[in-house]
Amino acid sequence: MVDILTNQTTNQEFSDFAVEQIHNVDVATTHHGEPSAQVCDLLLNKNGKLYIATSSQNPFFKDLIKQPKVIVNDYKGNGTMDSCGFSIRGTIQNVGHEYIDEIF
């Protein structure tokens, strides 16, 4: 586990930190052409990818399928000088139930 992130932190270390230490993130996409966001749990870091779970009945799921480009944001800390924040641009892919046993 990474206690302090530095400019030498690897992608794997950062992804582990995001899942284990941050966990809750804002995932932003669009809904009918308008900005839309939902708080999601980062549940798994596997093969260099971060995984969230949502129900296929959730309107947010439908938004992600229609517009899979997202921004994932969050931070950890108390105040400007002792916080770690991040923003990741990425593309969502529906993997079905492939990792459900690992996630839950």
Side-chain angles (χ1 to χ4, degrees):
M1 176 168 71
V2 175
D3 290 324
I4 299 174
L5 298 177
T6 69
N7 58 353
Q8 282 83 37
T9 300
T10 67
N11 287 340
Q12 180 69 38
E13 289 170 331
F14 172 78
S15 296
D16 288 340
F17 172 81
V19 170
E20 295 167 9
Q21 299 296 314
I22 305 250
H23 191 65
N24 297 89
V25 295
D26 298 316
V27 178
T29 186
T30 60
H31 178 77
H32 299 296
E34 296 293 324
S36 176
Q38 183 166 325
V39 175
C40 297
D41 293 335
L42 287 177
L43 299 171
L44 181 65
N45 171 27
K46 185 173 183 113
N47 302 323
K49 297 177 182 177
L50 297 170
Y51 292 84
I52 63 170
T54 188
S55 166
S56 62
Q57 302 306 309
N58 185 334
F60 187 66
F61 175 86
K62 294 173 178 131
D63 293 342
L64 292 171
I65 296 303
K66 187 173 181 178
Q67 173 47 268
K69 293 192 182 291
V70 297
I71 296 177
V72 178
N73 296 301
D74 218 291
Y75 75 97
K76 180 181 176 105
N78 298 313
T80 304
M81 298 307 289
D82 66 346
S83 295
C84 171
F86 67 89
S87 181
I88 303 169
R89 291 178 189 253
T91 302
I92 293 286
Q93 292 179 325
N94 182 4
V95 296
H97 295 97
E98 186 174 345
Y99 300 110
I100 202 80
D101 290 338
E102 288 181 72
I103 289 173
F104 297 108

